[in-house]
């Protein structure tokens, strides 16, 4: 009798499992092959590195306790706080057991109530600075979630801070009790949320080992397919972890390889925007009324009704981890999941391997038309010499924070482009690029850091002329103004944003052939995802009937209606080289008080916008981008040969007979 109780399948989640079948010999072999492939892709770290991480965490935990003890002796000299304690928690990929070699560790320093955040960024920071094992110490006190960044014995760490309303924080302290959130400041609540979500997530999966292996696979797949970035409108690490955890709940006895397959199966047929839940929502929390407004509840909050793919975190206050998803990224994620299902089916039938699932996908094989964004960081000193010095570390750190800020703004341009009825998809690349050595710009490279992002465009068949000037200019103005408030930009430094349109066949003049050929070609799934549910603000536009990812009609830039030759000064040199490489940026000046415009003419077919000169006394220029979609079909020239993958995917899902007609539980 005891044996039957021990072998009983755990039932977790908001519904009954789909299948409780246990792994057979084939599942075990496929899981071993999956683990071997993950190791080949460096998804696991060496044993020596793991031991080093554990030693670093033990040392930091001791430092936290020593720091709390010293501050307590100053603030409570009576000795009543001798057992104040303090504890270092971990969360994120390290706590979930899916971190890779070289990844940083997310930690949280939890302290009693008489220690405040000022102490954390003063006395604790000074204690770390005096430790010989600490390098590259940098505090970001003004961040949405204040954090201390450092390297300890070569291991990179982020340390958050949270103060509990307790006299003592013993070694046995956990963070599961929701009452710990009472009377806390918002920064502490946000800092605690990461640890609480990670701990509850591990408690809500039936078998942690299989969950960790499957999550490693899904994270590697998502990164190589360019759909792993919460800030850019895709899914972040916690969102993918919740999806894998839900698959584990529905298949509690499955092997890791089967969980990967079933994750694709479940969410390729998921009726979005039904939410993904690991546990029932507790929306009536009168005991903590101050945090109830943070709970995801589309019945009461209008903003929650517009979320396209809600994935709800399990810890109170339950929130949507995918609120940044746009219409385009939703379409892209669902297509990638369907393709993943087809590849997993081929793996099961022996027609493919796990390497086929994890191969990096070439972004520039998806579309024929792109918008490029140049981000220029003009500095007030010789940047190359400064960044190579020890004093340049803080600037490097703040530069990283600046690029992260710019990445998070790109999705706003995507949302703006989606409102155009002639644009079906606006797909932002999650990878930034460095310009080709042959590309030339009208800025001095020793004083400038240049980064390029791309957005792929798919147009409707009925599209004729697309005037994107207002969207581009609004985005450019807003981001440049917001970037001026990012800490780390000097008084004589500024961020400039310029954009251009370009066809795929001309990209070689910007980023080089190596970046264009990296990865395999993208292939649309043979069985595309079913139509979305009743999304409140989904734009209804005619989609192309072609199986290609873009329409067959070519797109070109069109010059403004005002003849440019009338305003062009005769002394202005041509702004392009003979091979079409951009040497400057295109700008159109619209001055209300001026009666004339000074611009430069050039051929606008297939080349980036040119720089249009202006008088230095004029106001900030307006960047114009007008795209014309012709009716004819133009055969593309192939200056850069893109490798083609001739493989074909079978459309069957490869399910057991008992699952083919079974509806996946969506929500309670």
């Amino acid at each position: 009798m005891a044996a039957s109780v021990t072998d009983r399948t755990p039932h977790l989640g908001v519904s009954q499992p789909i299948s409780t079948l246990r792994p057979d010999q084939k599942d075990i072999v496929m899981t071993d092959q999956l683990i071997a492939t993950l190791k080949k892709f460096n998804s696991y770290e060496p044993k020596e590195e793991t031991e080093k991480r554990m030693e670093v965490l033990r040392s930091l935990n001791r430092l936290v306790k020593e720091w709390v003890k010293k501050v307590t002796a100053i603030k409570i000299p009576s000795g009543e706080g001798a057992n104040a304690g303090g504890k270092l928690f971990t969360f994120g990929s390290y706590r979930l057991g899916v971190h890779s070699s070289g990844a940083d560790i997310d930690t949280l320093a939890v302290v009693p109530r008489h220690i405040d955040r000022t102490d954390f960024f003063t006395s604790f920071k000074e204690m770390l600075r005096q430790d010989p094992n600490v390098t590259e110490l940098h505090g970001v006190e003004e961040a949405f979630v204040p954090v201390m960044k450092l390297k300890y014995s070569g291991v990179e760490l982020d340390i958050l801070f949270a103060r509990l309303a307790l006299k003592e924080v013993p070694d046995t302290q956990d963070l599961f009790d929701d009452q710990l959130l009472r009377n806390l400041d918002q920064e502490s609540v946000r800092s605690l949320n990461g640890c609480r979500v990670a701990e509850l997530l591990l408690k809500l999966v039936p078998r942690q080992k299989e969950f960790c292996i499957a999550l490693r696979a899904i994270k590697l797949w998502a990164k190589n397919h360019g759909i792993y970035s919460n800030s850019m409108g895709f899914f972040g690490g916690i969102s993918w972890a919740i999806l894998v955890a839900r698959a584990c709940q529905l298949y509690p006895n499955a092997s890791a390889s089967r969980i990967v397959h079933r994750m694709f199966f479940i969410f390729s047929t998921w009726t979005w925007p039904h939410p993904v839940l690991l546990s029932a929502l507790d929306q009536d929390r009168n005991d903590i009324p101050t945090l109830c407004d943070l709970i995801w509840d589309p019945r009461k909050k209008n903003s929650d009704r517009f979320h396209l793919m809600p994935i709800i975190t399990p810890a109170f206050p339950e929130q949507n981890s995918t609120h940044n998803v746009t219409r385009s990224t939703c379409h892209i994620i669902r297509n990638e999941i369907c393709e993943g299902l087809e590849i997993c089916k081929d793996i099961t039938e022996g027609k493919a391997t796990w390497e086929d699932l994890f191969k990096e996908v070439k972004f520039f094989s998806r579309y024929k038309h792109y918008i490029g964004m140049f981000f220029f960081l003009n500095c007030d000193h010789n940047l190359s010499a400064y960044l190579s010095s020890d004093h340049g570390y803080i600037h490097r750190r703040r530069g990283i924070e600046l690029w992260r800020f710019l990445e998070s703004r790109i999705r706003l341009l995507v949302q703006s482009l989606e409102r155009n009825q002639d644009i079906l998809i606006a797909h932002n690349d999650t990878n930034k690029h460095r310009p080709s050595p042959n590309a030339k710009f009208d800025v001095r490279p020793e004083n400038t850091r240049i980064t390029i992002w791309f957005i792929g465009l798919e147009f409707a068949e009925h599209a004729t002329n697309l005037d994107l000037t207002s969207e581009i200019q609004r985005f450019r103005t807003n981001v440049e103004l917001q970037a001026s408030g990012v800490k780390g930009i000097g008084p004589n430094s500024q961020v400039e944003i310029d954009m251009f349109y370009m066809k795929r066949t001309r990209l070689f003049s910007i980023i080089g052939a190596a970046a264009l050929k990296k990865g395999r070609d993208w292939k649309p799934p043979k069985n595309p995802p079913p139509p979305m549910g009743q999304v409140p603000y989904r734009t209804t536009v005619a989609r192309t009937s072609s199986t290609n990812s873009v329409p067959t009609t070519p797109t070109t830039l069109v010059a403004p209606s005002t003849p440019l030759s009338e305003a062009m000064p005769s002394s202005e040199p041509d702004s392009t080289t003979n091979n079409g490489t951009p040497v400057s940026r295109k700008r159109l000046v619209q001055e209300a008080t001026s009666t004339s415009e000074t611009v430069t003419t050039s051929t606008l077919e297939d080349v980036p916008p040119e720089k249009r000169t202006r008088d230095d006394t004029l106001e900030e220029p307006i960047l114009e981008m007008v795209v014309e979609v012709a009716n004819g079909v133009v055969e593309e020239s192939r200056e850069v040969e893109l490798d083609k993958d001739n493989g074909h995917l079978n459309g069957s899902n490869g399910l057991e007979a008992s699952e083919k007609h079974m509806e996946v539980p969506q929500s309670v």
Side-chain angles (χ1 to χ4, degrees):
M1 185 67 180
S4 62
V5 174
T6 304
D7 297 337
R8 187 171 56 186
T9 299
H11 291 180
L12 301 171
V14 296
S15 65
Q16 293 295 315
I18 294 178
S19 173
T20 59
L21 294 177
R22 297 188 177 277
D24 55 20
Q25 186 60 35
K26 182 179 179 180
D27 292 332
I28 296 174
V29 172
M30 290 186 62
T31 300
D32 293 339
Q33 295 173 350
L34 173 61
I35 295 174
T37 305
L38 291 174
K39 291 181 179 179
K40 184 177 180 179
F41 279 82
N42 297 322
S43 183
Y44 288 88
E45 67 177 0
K47 183 179 179 181
E48 297 77 13
E49 188 174 345
T50 301
E51 295 175 351
K52 184 177 181 180
R53 287 176 182 269
M54 296 178 64
E55 182 58 35
V56 166
L57 290 174
R58 284 192 290 264
S59 300
L60 280 175
N61 191 40
R62 287 194 297 268
L63 285 176
V64 169
K65 294 181 182 298
E66 293 176 7
W67 166 61
V68 171
K69 186 176 181 179
K70 291 180 179 179
V71 177
T72 301
I74 297 174
K75 293 188 174 183
I76 310 178
S78 62
E80 295 180 0
N83 297 322
K87 187 176 180 181
L88 189 73
F89 291 84
T90 61
F91 63 99
S93 60
Y94 182 83
R95 180 64 187 93
L96 295 177
V98 294
H99 60 284
S100 57
S101 179
D104 62 347
I105 305 178
D106 297 314
T107 63
L108 171 67
V110 178
V111 299
R113 62 191 180 190
H114 59 274
I115 311 291
D116 54 39
R117 186 167 283 102
T118 304
D119 298 322
F120 179 71
F121 284 102
T122 54
S123 58
F124 185 61
K125 185 177 181 180
E126 182 61 28
M127 179 182 291
L128 291 173
R129 182 177 284 111
Q130 295 176 1
D131 193 313
N133 296 313
V134 176
T135 58
E136 301 185 5
L137 178 62
H138 174 48
V140 190
E141 190 172 359
E142 72 283 354
F144 185 70
V145 181
V147 60
M148 194 97 71
K149 296 177 177 290
L150 69 146
K151 282 187 177 180
Y152 194 97
S153 298
V155 178
E156 189 173 353
L157 298 105
D158 291 347
I159 306 179
L160 308 185
F161 172 87
R163 178 180 63 172
L164 301 182
L166 302 174
K167 292 182 179 180
E168 300 176 355
V169 179
D171 291 337
T172 57
Q173 180 69 50
D174 61 51
L175 304 176
F176 291 115
D177 190 0
D178 295 342
Q179 298 302 318
L180 293 174
L181 303 178
R182 295 174 64 90
N183 303 322
L184 297 186
D185 56 84
Q186 290 296 320
E187 290 80 6
S188 293
V189 173
R190 298 189 198 109
S191 299
L192 287 168
N193 186 60
C195 285
R196 287 167 48 81
V197 169
E199 295 293 340
L200 281 176
L201 199 151
L202 291 174
K203 291 185 65 176
L204 290 172
V205 295
R207 304 180 188 279
Q208 292 186 13
K209 180 180 178 181
E210 285 73 15
F211 164 75
C212 291
I213 298 173
L215 182 55
R216 281 184 186 272
I218 294 300
K219 288 184 63 176
L220 178 61
W221 165 82
K223 290 178 180 179
N224 288 345
H225 282 242
I227 53 175
Y228 189 95
S229 176
N230 178 59
S231 63
M232 300 190 76
F234 296 98
F235 289 176
I238 190 61
S239 302
W240 289 115
I242 293 174
L243 294 188
V244 175
R246 185 63 183 134
C248 291
Q249 290 179 342
L250 294 174
Y251 295 89
N253 294 326
S255 63
S257 60
R258 187 168 291 272
I259 288 173
V260 171
H261 189 172
R262 292 305 180 260
M263 197 285 294
F264 289 124
F265 159 60
I266 294 168
F267 296 106
S268 65
T269 58
W270 193 268
T271 56
W272 305 102
H274 283 102
V276 179
L277 302 170
L278 296 181
S279 58
L281 289 174
D282 189 4
Q283 297 169 326
D284 298 326
R285 294 296 300 269
N286 297 325
D287 53 337
I288 314 179
T290 57
L291 298 179
C292 287
D293 292 338
L294 300 177
I295 299 177
W296 184 83
D297 189 353
R299 300 175 303 176
K300 300 178 181 179
K301 299 164 65 176
N302 289 332
S303 60
D304 292 347
R305 300 174 186 175
F306 291 90
H307 293 168
L308 295 176
M309 306 178 77
I311 300 176
I312 312 305
T313 57
F316 176 84
E318 296 87 349
Q319 296 174 303
N320 180 22
S321 63
T322 59
H323 58 276
N324 289 335
V325 170
T326 68
R327 176 170 59 85
S328 293
T329 56
C330 172
H331 174 81
I332 295 162
I333 292 171
R334 298 177 72 228
N335 269 323
E336 293 298 327
I337 290 177
C338 287
E339 190 208 22
L341 176 61
E342 294 174 353
I343 296 177
C344 282
K345 182 264 178 182
D346 287 344
I347 294 173
T348 303
E349 296 180 353
K351 300 178 182 178
T353 64
W354 290 110
E355 292 185 7
D356 297 322
L357 180 66
F358 300 136
K359 283 182 180 178
E360 185 174 355
V361 175
K362 193 185 309 176
F363 176 77
F364 298 106
S365 67
R366 294 175 179 265
Y367 308 99
K368 298 178 182 178
H369 311 286
Y370 295 88
I371 291 178
M373 294 172 284
F374 287 97
F375 287 162
F376 301 84
L377 178 58
N378 292 322
C379 300
D380 52 0
H381 48 254
N382 191 312
L383 186 65
S384 59
Y386 179 70
L387 294 182
S388 62
S389 65
D390 294 336
H391 299 285
Y393 168 70
I394 300 299
H395 190 95
R396 293 199 304 272
R397 262 299 188 186
R398 290 171 178 172
I400 293 174
E401 297 299 326
L402 172 65
W403 299 130
R404 289 177 179 174
F405 162 78
L406 295 175
E407 287 179 356
S408 67
R409 301 295 95 185
I410 293 177
R411 76 171 187 277
L412 302 181
L413 175 60
V414 170
Q415 292 174 331
S416 180
L417 294 173
E418 288 175 348
R419 299 188 187 100
N420 192 311
Q421 295 290 320
D422 293 327
I423 296 179
L424 300 180
I425 298 295
H427 182 180
N428 50 315
D429 188 3
T430 56
N431 298 315
K432 57 179 177 288
H433 301 271
R434 296 290 296 169
S436 170
N438 298 325
K440 298 180 181 180
F441 307 96
D442 62 333
V443 291
R444 292 182 300 172
E446 67 272 12
N447 292 331
T448 306
R449 298 181 69 183
I450 305 175
T451 306
I452 309 176
W453 275 273
F454 286 94
I455 297 179
L457 298 177
E458 177 182 343
F459 301 110
E461 285 186 338
H462 64 267
T464 55
N465 291 320
L466 282 74
D467 186 355
L468 307 179
T469 304
S470 60
E471 292 91 339
I472 297 298
Q473 180 60 24
R474 190 184 307 114
F475 169 79
R476 177 174 173 268
T477 302
N478 292 339
V479 172
E480 288 183 355
L481 289 175
Q482 294 173 14
S484 62
V486 177
K487 189 174 181 181
I489 302 300
N492 298 323
S493 303
Q494 62 179 0
V495 174
E496 295 184 16
I497 302 174
D498 283 291
M499 303 185 184
F500 63 90
Y501 160 78
M502 182 171 282
K503 283 187 177 181
R504 179 171 58 190
T505 54
R506 301 295 300 175
L507 290 172
F508 69 93
S509 63
I510 299 294
I511 58 175
L516 294 174
K517 294 182 178 181
K518 186 178 180 181
R520 67 169 177 86
D521 281 358
W522 177 79
K523 296 173 294 185
K526 296 183 65 176
N527 294 318
M532 284 282 289
Q534 296 297 322
V535 182
Y537 66 101
R538 184 185 181 189
T539 306
T540 55
V541 294
R543 293 191 173 276
T544 173
S545 59
S546 173
T547 58
N548 296 328
S549 60
V550 293
T552 56
T553 52
T555 303
T556 58
L557 283 173
V558 178
S561 57
T562 303
L564 302 180
S565 58
E566 298 179 3
M568 183 186 68
S570 58
S571 60
E572 177 68 15
D574 189 12
S575 57
T576 58
T577 60
N578 294 332
N579 63 357
T581 301
V583 298
S584 60
R585 297 158 286 161
K586 171 189 172 187
R587 285 181 175 176
L588 172 66
V589 181
Q590 294 181 352
E591 174 63 26
T593 60
S594 177
T595 59
S596 64
E597 295 181 344
T598 305
V599 295
T600 300
T601 60
S602 62
T603 303
L604 296 179
E605 178 74 24
D606 291 345
V607 296
E610 317 299 327
K611 181 180 180 180
R612 300 187 175 183
T613 62
R614 63 182 178 90
D615 192 287
D616 293 336
T617 61
L618 298 182
E619 295 180 356
E620 184 67 12
I622 295 178
L623 182 66
E624 182 181 84
M625 182 175 292
V626 182
V627 178
E628 179 182 348
V629 182
N631 294 324
V633 178
V634 179
E635 182 178 359
E636 291 187 347
S637 61
R638 305 291 290 179
E639 286 84 352
V640 179
E641 187 65 23
L642 301 179
D643 297 333
K644 293 294 183 180
D645 188 347
N646 297 321
H648 297 282
L649 299 177
N650 195 309
S652 175
N653 291 332
L655 306 176
E656 291 94 344
S658 60
E659 296 176 301
K660 288 185 178 180
H661 303 289
M662 185 176 296
E663 181 179 358
V664 179
Q666 304 293 322
S667 62
V668 292

